[in-house]
Amino acid sequence: MTTKIKDSLFKPLKKIVVEQYGIITSNRMGVIGLSFLLFFLIVAIFAPWLAPHDPWEMMYDVNEEFASLRSPSWEFPLGTTHLGYDLFSQLILATRTTLLIGSVSGAISILIGANIGLIAGYYGGKIDELLMRFTDILYGMPFLPFIIVLISLFGRHLEFIILAIVLIIWRTSARVIRAQTISIKQRQFIAAAKARGCSDFRIIYRHILPNVMPLLLLYAAFNIAWSIITEASTSFLGFGDGDTISWGGMLYELFLSGKTRVAWWWFAAPSICIILLVISLVLISRAYEEVANPRLRKR
Amino acid sequence: MADYILRRLIYMLITLFAVASILFLMFRMLPGDATLQVISPAMDEAVQQRMKAAFGLDKPLLQQYFIYLKNLVTMEWGRSFVTAQEVTAIVSYRFWNTLLLMVSGLCMTLTLGIGLGIIMAWKRNSPLDIGGTVVGLIFQAAPPFITGLLLLMTLSYRLGLFPTGGMYPAGARPDSIFGLLLMPAFWERIVLPTFTVGMYYLATPLLVMRDSMLEVLGSDYIELARAKGLKSSVIMFRHAARNALLGVVTLASILVGFAVGGQVVVESLFSWPGMGQLMVESAASHDYPVAQGTFLMLAILVIGLNFITDILYSYLDPRIKVSAEGISR
């Protein structure tokens, strides 16, 4: 029995991964996006070994002088902060936080959104009504204020930040995947599967899910990008986790220190990283949009 | 049509009620007990009890909830923990400032996005088309605080072209909104935040307008207009753009919802005295009555604007009424 379930879930999964890789790499923009993403991923994984210094260590230069607000040099490739912290080390370790928050909240939110969308779309009727009204209510919540209030009530920790983002960000994917599920449900092969006596579970996850997969991955990419932007914004507003470094947090420190007038290097590095990472996700999602479904723009 | 509006109106009220209820639960039941801010555990037990009674916190939760709902409707939103001002007074002053900045940002996004989108579709694959797409995507990928910081660092700090923040010079608070609009200092200060918000959302209407223009340009009636020998500028703006605009209107409701979020960041960055800045400040200082009131007002703004764009859309495209039942639920 378990092997049967394994077969029905993992075989198509492998096929899907190969297919999706094909979709992304068939598009030049997709290849560029994927390579940037892989680069950031490698930096994030090996961050502690790549960072030359402790991110919260006050640095002294070769002449034993306190290295405060140094512009980029051989010694400090991306310069230092007013407290003498090495920005290059901070940037590398921050990659880890940013990618962690982005991928975890992206994955959980697409899992919730996809399941709610599939179930609402497939069953219709009362269940659909209930789930979609709930989604509507979430749409009435102002996005960033909702997250800020939750973080300030829960406490400023990484897991609560992820929780707050997940709690609201799934709403878009649920709506879109529900719409797609409804249109797939009416196709003949679903009626055929029902006639063969397939269970609802099997129809939803074995027959409908593979057909919404490109859409699902597209929204997974969107959710990751939105989570990253959201995390950066909340950190910049001072609602980040004080124990870890993130790119948004680095910019918050800059704004707080009041050194924006002089320290352009402090601004440049994290900003460029945020933009590059988000653009790489946008490029990947555009590769999907061109192949998967031209009518996706209606969110 | 009236039937449709009525039903949307009822949905809107239900959503508002639900949001208010969730807000009540959030502030009363979450681990960081909101009352700890005012009623310190270090106080005398009897004093604590008296204060709880004064705030109505000794009553059962359900009764508190009904009192909360009644107070919402009668506009008694409590007083700030920090300044002891009426929350309604603080929020209503901030409301107009937020709306002012939001409208000017959205106007910029829509006019620039639609105009540039038409031209880009017209000059397809030209350097302008490619450049416009790239610029739009970069500004979309950059969170507004990065764009805003860049503008501040270059145009304000380095070149001194614009003031660094606020809505009017310190000490020169105008007595009315007209007084404000007549101040040159106000217009100097609204440029950078408007540009920041405007550029952030630009890519969406820009690309949608461009794509739907290209779609419309492939249709028969455009061929016919060409065959009649009409000038291509006339075809572009009079014939094609009208139909392509519908796609952008669909987006307006999404944009409006997002714009409220972008507002929070931009207001904090440029010290714009709006609801977004108030939200951040009150949440940071645990001034819960103000945070709650501001959140509710922002929610009313989001829900109300969604309602308006819904109605507007069904008015512009009668076909949508039928299918919107399926899509927008």
Side-chain angles (χ1 to χ4, degrees):
Chain A
M1 189 61 203
T2 45
T3 51
K4 206 175 169 190
I5 292 176
K6 248 188 194 165
D7 264 10
S8 69
L9 282 176
F10 286 98
K11 255 192 196 158
L13 203 69
K14 194 182 159 195
K15 203 181 114 203
I16 285 160
V17 169
V18 174
E19 259 177 30
Q20 304 314 320
Y21 181 74
I23 290 178
I24 296 173
T25 49
S26 68
N27 183 303
R28 200 171 43 145
M29 289 296 160
V31 175
I32 297 174
L34 197 64
S35 359
F36 271 117
L37 189 64
L38 284 176
F39 169 73
F40 280 118
L41 206 64
I42 290 168
V43 171
I45 290 170
F46 298 105
W49 295 279
L50 288 173
H53 303 288
D54 184 312
W56 281 300
E57 187 194 335
M58 291 188 176
M59 302 304 297
Y60 290 87
D61 63 11
V62 278
N63 306 322
E64 297 292 315
E65 273 178 65
F66 180 43
S68 164
L69 281 180
R70 296 290 170 88
S71 55
S73 63
W74 276 113
E75 218 180 338
F76 308 109
L78 294 177
T80 60
T81 73
H82 63 310
L83 295 174
Y85 301 153
D86 179 38
L87 281 164
F88 183 58
S89 309
Q90 288 206 337
L91 192 79
I92 288 174
L93 285 161
T95 312
R96 203 173 224 199
T97 319
T98 307
L99 271 186
L100 183 79
I101 292 183
S103 52
V104 172
S105 58
I108 301 176
S109 60
I110 197 70
L111 210 67
I112 298 174
N115 278 301
I116 288 187
L118 283 167
I119 290 169
Y122 178 73
Y123 287 105
K126 284 252 163 59
I127 295 175
D128 181 31
E129 187 84 2
L130 189 78
L131 289 174
M132 284 304 114
R133 282 288 159 272
F134 186 61
T135 315
D136 276 355
I137 291 166
L138 267 187
Y139 264 99
M141 295 281 184
F143 187 78
L144 217 47
F146 179 78
I147 292 168
I148 288 172
V149 167
L150 282 187
I151 294 175
S152 80
L153 288 170
F154 283 143
R156 291 163 201 192
H157 299 291
L158 216 55
E159 59 270 29
F160 296 143
I161 295 171
I162 292 175
L163 179 71
I165 295 176
V166 165
L167 277 178
I168 191 163
I169 220 166
W170 62 266
R171 60 186 189 181
T172 318
S173 31
R175 246 190 206 182
V176 176
I177 287 172
R178 170 186 170 272
Q180 179 90 345
T181 305
I182 288 175
S183 85
I184 289 170
K185 184 175 80 169
Q186 287 152 355
R187 297 223 206 121
Q188 283 192 337
F189 71 95
I190 299 297
K194 267 187 190 159
R196 276 206 315 274
C198 289
S199 66
D200 286 344
F201 182 86
R202 194 178 158 82
I203 293 177
I204 291 177
Y205 293 101
R206 185 79 169 83
H207 297 276
I208 296 179
L209 181 63
N211 284 292
V212 296
M213 199 44 100
L215 187 68
L216 192 148
L217 290 173
L218 171 74
Y219 273 83
F222 277 158
N223 282 0
I224 295 172
W226 285 332
S227 305
I228 288 167
I229 292 180
T230 308
E231 186 276 331
S233 304
T234 49
S235 291
F236 180 74
L237 293 173
F239 292 88
D241 186 340
D243 298 334
T244 51
I245 308 174
S246 75
W247 292 334
M250 289 169 74
L251 290 168
Y252 169 64
E253 293 291 330
L254 164 67
F255 196 56
L256 207 64
S257 74
K259 301 296 178 200
T260 30
R261 282 164 200 272
V262 276
W264 57 267
W265 58 89
W266 193 349
F267 166 76
S271 303
I272 291 171
C273 283
I274 293 174
I275 296 174
L276 270 183
L277 181 55
V278 174
I279 284 184
S280 69
L281 287 161
V282 170
L283 290 179
I284 290 173
S285 64
R286 279 181 82 82
Y288 274 111
E289 264 180 320
E290 277 174 23
V291 180
N293 190 342
R295 295 193 157 272
L296 289 181
R297 298 207 152 267
K298 289 178 188 165
R299 287 206 287 265
Chain B
M1 190 68 199
D3 188 43
Y4 177 77
I5 294 178
L6 190 71
R7 210 168 53 230
R8 282 274 136 208
L9 201 68
I10 293 170
Y11 281 157
M12 181 178 83
L13 290 176
I14 293 174
T15 312
L16 259 179
F17 168 75
V19 168
S21 305
I22 292 174
L23 203 59
F24 175 81
L25 282 178
M26 266 161 66
F27 278 91
R28 298 300 138 96
M29 299 192 101
L30 284 178
D33 188 352
T35 54
L36 282 181
Q37 290 300 316
V38 187
I39 307 172
S40 153
M43 281 192 252
D44 192 54
E45 185 65 30
V47 179
Q48 280 192 45
Q49 286 306 323
R50 228 179 306 141
M51 281 188 78
K52 276 195 175 168
F55 283 111
L57 291 168
D58 53 342
K59 298 191 176 72
L61 201 66
L62 198 67
Q63 201 180 342
Q64 284 187 41
Y65 172 62
F66 286 122
I67 295 170
Y68 163 82
L69 286 183
K70 196 198 104 211
N71 285 347
L72 281 190
V73 177
T74 53
M75 296 303 284
E76 282 180 30
W77 292 10
R79 285 174 182 278
S80 161
F81 283 168
V82 179
T83 62
Q85 273 179 293
E86 287 267 357
V87 172
T88 40
I90 307 175
V91 172
S92 61
Y93 163 65
R94 300 271 185 151
F95 177 80
W96 295 105
N97 299 345
T98 291
L99 205 64
L100 212 59
L101 183 55
M102 228 177 88
V103 167
S104 79
L106 277 177
C107 280
M108 179 187 153
T109 305
L110 288 176
T111 45
L112 199 63
I114 291 169
L116 210 58
I118 294 173
I119 298 171
M120 276 162 59
W122 187 1
K123 311 265 181 209
R124 195 181 178 183
N125 292 333
S126 67
L128 184 85
D129 181 19
I130 295 160
T133 311
V134 171
V135 167
L137 287 179
I138 289 177
F139 276 102
Q140 190 183 33
F145 65 89
I146 290 183
T147 317
L149 261 179
L150 186 68
L151 290 174
L152 270 180
M153 288 168 74
T154 51
L155 299 182
S156 284
Y157 297 157
R158 199 143 289 232
L159 301 173
L161 292 177
F162 295 98
T164 54
M167 212 166 76
Y168 39 78
R173 183 173 170 173
D175 40 8
S176 72
I177 191 135
F178 293 107
L180 181 72
L181 291 177
L182 287 174
M183 283 167 82
F186 163 75
W187 293 102
E188 269 180 0
R189 280 167 174 78
I190 202 173
V191 173
L192 293 187
T194 299
F195 192 77
T196 308
V197 183
M199 288 308 278
Y200 182 49
Y201 297 108
L202 178 68
T204 321
L206 179 76
L207 296 180
V208 170
M209 191 64 198
R210 176 184 173 275
D211 290 352
S212 51
M213 273 296 280
L214 288 177
E215 206 173 297
V216 171
L217 285 177
S219 59
D220 290 344
Y221 79 98
I222 296 292
E223 284 295 306
L224 183 71
R226 282 222 176 90
K228 276 199 296 192
L230 290 177
K231 274 201 295 188
S232 55
S233 59
V234 174
I235 297 175
M236 281 294 154
F237 289 98
R238 301 264 306 265
H239 295 249
R242 270 193 188 182
N243 280 307
L245 264 176
L246 262 181
V248 179
V249 178
T250 330
L251 276 170
S253 80
I254 296 162
L255 273 181
V256 155
F258 277 123
V260 175
Q263 202 74 21
V264 177
V265 177
V266 174
E267 283 180 8
S268 302
L269 183 61
F270 290 98
S271 355
W272 189 267
M275 290 191 294
Q277 191 204 29
L278 187 64
M279 177 82 238
V280 172
E281 282 174 358
S282 56
S285 61
H286 297 274
D287 190 350
Y288 289 116
V290 176
Q292 187 176 297
T294 317
F295 188 99
L296 203 68
M297 205 59 220
L298 285 168
I300 290 172
L301 195 62
V302 172
I303 296 168
L305 288 171
N306 276 340
F307 171 73
I308 293 170
T309 44
D310 254 10
I311 301 297
L312 193 72
Y313 189 49
S314 71
Y315 178 73
L316 281 176
D317 189 359
R319 281 172 307 176
I320 221 64
K321 244 196 298 180
V322 190
S323 55
E325 296 302 309
I327 294 168
S328 70
R329 281 209 288 195

